[in-house]
Amino acid sequence: MTTVLAAVEHALLNSGSFNPDIEVAPAAVLWPDKDRLWQPIIGQLQARLPQLWTLGDYAPEQKTGPAIWLRCAMANRVDGIDAAGAIPILYLPGVSRQEIRAIESCPESLKPLAELQYRGVIWSQVNAKDWTILAFLRSDQGGLGLDVAQDRAALHAMQLALYRLLDVDVSLLKGKRLDKDYFNTLLIDGDPIRDLLHWLDQGDAFKAAKGDTAWPAFVEIIKSQLGFDPDKQGTLSAAALLAAHEGPWQPVWDRYCEAPKRYPNIPAQLEKTALPMDMFADKSGWPQWNRQQENELRLALARLEQASPAQARKSIADLDNTHGERRTLVWAELGLSPLAQSLKWLKKLADVTRSSIAGGTIADMANTYQTVAWQADDAVVQALKPIDQQEDFDAASKAIRAMYTDWAQDAARYLQESVQKHGYPGLIAANRKPVKYAKSETVFFVDGLRFDVGKRFAESLEAKGYSVELSTQWSALPSVTATAKPAVSPVAQLISGVVGSEAFEPCVKETEQKLSGHHFQKLLETNGWQKLAKTDVGESSGQAWCEYGDIDSEGHDRGWKLAKHIDAILVEVEDRIASLLNAGWKQVRLVTDHGWLLLPGGLPKTELPAALVDSKWGRCASIKPGSHTDEQLYPWHWNADQHFSLANGISCYKLGEEYTHGGLSLQECLTPELIIRKAGNAYVDVKAEITDVSWRGLRCNVAVEGAFEGLLLDVRLDAGDATTSKVMSTKTIKESGVGSVVIDDEDLEGVAAVIVLLTESGELIAQQQTRIGGE
């Protein structure tokens, strides 16, 4: 790579070349520069050419001094100044070639140098004129032969941008029109749109940081490209044009939408501008319009409190037609459209709950729930995730209750009636057959892993290349941790129950000692099972029990806000599974004790007098011996001689419970079991090639040929390590074969990286080395 600076250096050195067979070396190279055009870059050249000295006031530390000092330096009579055997180059700012040649009229201060024109050479053009910057760039005789505009604005911008132009590869300048826009773009780091957005975000602070050189260049380039004068029109005028994003402002808006969180103050700027008066105008660029839409949606959802389920579902579909598009706007990414985002899942809830699952056999219900109906519970959770404000929660919960409550209530009552007639499909402990566990298997217990959560988790693991087998089993009754957790352990056959256990806690079968944590661990170890601590990976050739991820505790503590924390819990569970498989375990069997019911605003309450019970939980109660109650009684999993009551439908024995379990419903009792194995990504026979790469600031644009449909574009520091990705988000290659991603960190500019194409499952298809921001 030959930069402009290197080309100037080469030209200076070449001017002093000679044939040693017939010539003597020139005494010096004289570089006259009457208008001081080259003066700003002399420091950079001196760093490359120690023999370059400057005529001027006495400043030896800067290799600068008067004419007599320069002659002394040439004679090696100045301490610390040495040409190291090279031909001295004497830069003469404010001096023209004519002044040196006219010896009679030569100023006294220059006379010590005048005779050097005979023993040395003058660096000048073929026509004997001094080299100007414009001449050096344009001339094809001793210069670079580039296409440079000659108007006053271009020359002014060129002079200001000279220090940046020096670092540009000459080959990249060939064939380009170097006009004022080009030079101004160099001054503002080559990305005027990014700088415009930073100005809108930072205002006067941005102007001050740019300084007296880069700010005028920024103004000129924005005037040229957008017809907008930042100096005269100001940030609020620019904000209004950005919000309208018409004509040349559309690319600016698109750029903002790519990474809006990098410009946190822009929404506040947009708020200061007025919405268009035209009722048909596109107002989507204004955050206040989006806020108005959210307010309207909030009121509409709140009105569903009195609606029938059918009316609520129809209203949700209509609202989604009106507000659904707002999920694609920048305000959703900034978290300013929580109800529009929630509405997507309310629409899903409406679709799924149109069909009742209260019918057929218990097996029919279980099959329908596993294939379709689980999505209703998932939709409730997903609809609550974007919610932060109480007023939004109140509106969303009313919509959820209108569509979900009767649907879940009917299903639970039908299941309970079926169990009374045909028995519970989850066998009591005495009738259960022992599970056969494999060698090198860890049984991994997660408290409260409901089926819909487990289903999503399984899909996530499969997408990352794991082999996952998902099945279901019925929880032990009552569906509380004390009873159900031991039932899924590998020592379940060694556990039983004593009649009179009010807290539904089993005991060690052999000794009838209460199954404390100590006794549970002792049973495991006595029977060859390792009990792994939270970070322990154990001996992978054996078998182990592991506990991690307490969804149930979060549910009891947070109520409906559990929805906002489930994903974080599952990330930790996934990391723990990965550590076990990486340590050599062949498979991990993910088990749980029970699911749960979640109804924002609280489950319906059913009365059960305290005088009738020994203990009462949210959905189950231990009835006092001899007490009469209309509640349905069920045998305890660990001892069929003890019975307890379960609340009817999805009701609860306590008032205001949003999250609870212990009763009989598909959500509480039909639990997932996942067998997870490490299975590297399957080979994908996809052939695609990156054919072109260009950078515009921190945005990387690529062109791709081949079978690129569905491929994702990423930029990583290490191609095979997804954790080294440096983009705001990966992007899908478009149908046209082009893709674009934005780097998240400005400090990475110039860092070596790898552009990669990959499938949705993470399979690498193609890669290419690059430097962030371009070469």
Side-chain angles (χ1 to χ4, degrees):
M1 181 178 78
T2 301
T3 64
V4 172
L5 182 63
V8 174
E9 176 189 1
H10 176 75
L12 283 167
L13 295 174
N14 191 56
S15 68
S17 62
F18 66 98
N19 185 344
D21 293 332
I22 59 174
E23 297 176 302
V24 297
V29 174
L30 302 180
W31 180 5
D33 181 15
K34 179 65 176 177
D35 296 324
R36 302 176 183 267
L37 299 174
W38 296 95
Q39 197 161 14
I41 72 165
I42 294 304
Q44 290 173 269
L45 277 170
Q46 284 180 326
R48 304 167 67 106
L49 297 170
Q51 70 273 34
L52 173 59
W53 308 322
T54 301
L55 175 68
D57 295 334
Y58 182 68
E61 70 281 359
Q62 299 175 18
K63 298 182 180 179
T64 299
I68 192 65
W69 180 86
L70 293 177
R71 290 303 299 265
C72 291
M74 291 174 59
N76 293 322
R77 296 301 180 89
V78 177
D79 292 341
I81 302 296
D82 186 359
I87 299 170
I89 302 171
L90 308 182
Y91 174 64
L92 312 176
V95 178
S96 68
R97 177 189 176 96
Q98 286 72 24
E99 288 179 277
I100 299 173
R101 295 187 65 83
I103 295 179
E104 297 80 2
S105 60
C106 182
E108 289 294 325
S109 60
L110 289 179
K111 284 184 177 179
L113 303 178
E115 64 90 14
L116 291 177
Q117 64 182 297
Y118 304 111
R119 293 195 300 117
V121 296
I122 298 176
W123 186 49
S124 60
Q125 300 182 55
V126 173
N127 60 10
K129 291 183 178 181
D130 293 347
W131 278 114
T132 64
I133 299 170
L134 176 64
F136 184 75
L137 294 177
R138 285 179 56 85
S139 175
D140 55 7
Q141 298 184 55
L144 300 181
L146 302 175
D147 180 11
V148 185
Q150 300 183 67
D151 58 275
R152 181 176 299 177
L155 295 178
H156 177 68
M158 176 184 67
Q159 189 67 39
L160 292 175
L162 180 59
Y163 72 102
R164 291 194 180 275
L165 182 66
L166 294 176
D167 294 328
V168 180
D169 186 350
V170 174
S171 65
L172 299 178
L173 300 175
K174 298 290 186 181
K176 284 187 177 180
R177 176 64 172 173
L178 307 185
D179 55 13
K180 67 181 180 68
D181 281 356
Y182 176 81
F183 294 122
N184 284 327
T185 300
L186 278 182
L187 275 172
I188 59 174
D189 298 325
D191 196 344
I193 291 181
R194 181 191 66 189
D195 277 7
L196 176 60
L197 292 171
H198 278 307
W199 173 59
L200 275 170
D201 183 61
Q202 301 168 15
D204 290 342
F206 173 84
K207 180 178 179 179
K210 279 297 181 184
D212 295 337
T213 298
W215 173 256
F218 166 73
V219 171
E220 289 301 317
I221 196 68
I222 296 302
K223 285 166 61 177
S224 176
Q225 293 190 3
L226 298 177
F228 179 86
D229 188 334
D231 267 334
K232 293 182 179 180
Q233 294 173 269
T235 53
L236 291 187
S237 296
L241 291 169
L242 177 66
H245 51 270
E246 297 175 348
W249 286 84
Q250 182 65 52
V252 184
W253 177 255
D254 292 342
R255 186 71 171 278
Y256 170 62
C257 293
E258 284 181 354
K261 293 179 182 177
R262 292 177 62 181
Y263 315 101
N265 298 315
I266 283 183
Q269 291 287 69
L270 300 178
E271 290 268 11
K272 297 174 184 177
T273 66
L275 285 169
M277 298 299 293
D278 183 357
M279 63 181 298
F280 298 107
D282 179 6
K283 302 175 185 177
S284 62
W286 279 268
Q288 55 266 49
W289 169 84
N290 180 70
R291 187 170 59 252
Q292 291 173 2
Q293 296 295 302
E294 282 286 290
N295 291 339
E296 292 177 9
L297 177 54
R298 186 181 303 109
L299 292 172
L301 293 176
R303 285 194 292 268
L304 298 181
E305 183 175 21
Q306 304 302 324
S308 69
Q311 291 170 335
R313 293 179 187 116
K314 182 181 184 305
S315 295
I316 289 294
D318 294 339
L319 289 171
D320 192 59
N321 288 333
T322 302
H323 295 275
E325 187 176 357
R326 288 197 293 116
R327 292 192 288 271
T328 67
L329 301 180
V330 66
W331 315 121
E333 184 172 348
L334 290 174
L336 300 177
S337 308
L339 290 177
Q341 291 178 296
S342 180
L343 187 59
K344 171 185 176 180
W345 298 103
L346 295 177
K347 174 67 164 54
K348 184 68 174 180
L349 178 63
D351 292 341
V352 176
T353 57
R354 279 191 175 90
S355 300
S356 172
I357 57 173
T361 64
I362 295 176
D364 292 335
M365 291 185 71
N367 182 64
T368 302
Y369 186 78
Q370 293 175 69
T371 54
V372 178
W374 68 272
Q375 296 175 78
D377 297 300
D378 178 62
V380 171
V381 172
Q382 301 300 327
L384 293 171
K385 280 183 182 179
I387 303 299
D388 288 312
Q389 302 301 319
Q390 183 65 40
E391 59 181 357
D392 290 338
F393 167 73
D394 291 341
S397 64
K398 288 171 183 176
I400 290 170
R401 296 178 68 85
M403 297 182 288
Y404 180 79
T405 305
D406 287 351
W407 179 86
Q409 185 82 282
D410 292 344
R413 285 173 175 166
Y414 185 86
L415 175 63
Q416 292 161 10
E417 291 170 3
S418 297
V419 167
Q420 287 295 321
K421 293 177 183 177
H422 306 292
Y424 182 61
L427 300 176
I428 61 173
N431 297 331
R432 278 196 173 186
K433 294 181 180 180
V435 177
K436 293 183 179 180
Y437 298 98
K439 289 184 178 180
S440 189
E441 175 175 1
T442 297
V443 179
F444 191 126
F445 175 76
V446 179
D447 197 348
L449 185 70
R450 196 169 70 170
F451 180 83
D452 56 305
V453 180
K455 176 78 170 176
R456 272 193 173 271
F457 188 49
E459 292 173 351
S460 173
L461 292 175
E462 287 177 334
K464 295 175 182 177
Y466 291 94
S467 168
V468 183
E469 296 177 14
L470 172 64
S471 59
T472 57
Q473 58 182 350
W474 291 90
S475 170
L477 290 182
S479 52
V480 294
T481 300
T483 286
K485 176 182 173 181
V488 295
S489 75
V491 292
Q493 301 302 312
L494 305 175
I495 299 170
S496 64
V498 176
V499 173
S501 174
E502 298 175 2
F504 313 113
E505 295 175 329
C507 61
V508 178
K509 181 184 292 186
E510 184 177 346
T511 63
E512 293 191 354
Q513 293 173 305
K514 181 180 176 181
L515 190 66
S516 63
H518 168 73
H519 288 120
F520 179 62
Q521 180 169 341
K522 189 174 180 181
L523 282 179
L524 289 169
E525 293 173 350
T526 301
N527 288 273
W529 285 82
Q530 305 166 63
K531 187 175 187 300
L532 303 181
K534 290 208 170 186
T535 58
D536 186 17
V537 294
E539 175 50 58
S540 62
S541 61
Q543 294 174 315
W545 169 268
C546 172
E547 299 178 25
Y548 206 91
D550 195 343
I551 296 173
D552 187 41
S553 178
E554 292 289 312
H556 287 299
D557 289 344
R558 300 179 184 274
W560 73 267
K561 291 185 179 180
L562 168 66
K564 302 176 72 65
H565 297 271
I566 285 178
D567 289 345
I569 296 172
L570 293 181
V571 167
E572 294 181 349
V573 170
E574 180 184 336
D575 289 344
R576 183 71 173 113
I577 291 171
S579 70
L580 291 168
L581 294 176
N582 289 336
W585 293 92
K586 299 302 181 185
Q587 70 180 35
V588 173
R589 184 187 299 262
L590 203 65
V591 298
T592 191
D593 46 358
H594 56 75
W596 29 271
L597 290 170
L598 179 65
L599 185 62
L603 293 158
K605 184 177 184 295
T606 187
E607 296 295 336
L608 183 62
L612 300 180
V613 299
D614 286 324
S615 65
K616 182 168 61 176
W617 293 16
R619 294 263 292 151
C620 60
S622 176
I623 305 298
K624 288 182 178 180
S627 298
H628 174 74
T629 176
D630 293 332
E631 296 294 302
Q632 294 289 348
L633 300 180
Y634 299 83
W636 185 30
H637 175 81
W638 293 109
N639 191 326
D641 292 332
Q642 178 167 334
H643 288 71
F644 53 89
S645 69
L646 298 182
N648 180 263
I650 61 169
S651 64
C652 184
Y653 290 138
K654 296 180 180 180
L655 181 64
E657 294 286 302
E658 292 181 319
Y659 169 98
T660 193
H661 58 88
L664 178 54
S665 67
L666 291 167
Q667 289 85 351
E668 297 164 281
C669 298
L670 190 64
T671 60
E673 180 176 284
L674 283 65
I675 295 180
I676 305 157
R677 303 183 184 92
K678 192 174 183 179
N681 293 329
Y683 175 72
V684 181
D685 187 17
V686 176
K687 293 182 175 63
E689 178 185 3
I690 300 172
T691 57
D692 185 56
V693 175
S694 64
W695 286 88
R696 189 156 182 84
L698 294 180
R699 181 171 57 182
C700 178
N701 303 295
V702 303
V704 181
E705 293 183 357
F708 54 76
E709 183 178 356
L711 294 186
L712 300 175
L713 174 64
D714 196 2
V715 178
R716 301 173 175 178
L717 298 185
D718 297 308
D721 186 353
T723 64
T724 66
S725 172
K726 296 302 175 184
V727 301
M728 298 291 291
S729 61
T730 57
K731 298 292 185 181
T732 304
I733 300 298
K734 298 178 181 178
E735 293 182 0
S736 58
V738 298
S740 177
V741 289
V742 178
I743 301 301
D744 190 30
D745 186 352
E746 292 183 3
D747 292 338
L748 292 173
E749 191 163 1
V751 172
V754 187
I755 300 168
V756 297
L757 297 178
L758 60 154
T759 65
E760 290 185 356
S761 64
E763 174 77 12
L764 291 180
I765 301 301
Q767 64 186 65
Q768 183 168 318
Q769 298 291 326
T770 189
R771 282 195 178 276
I772 294 175
E775 297 294 341

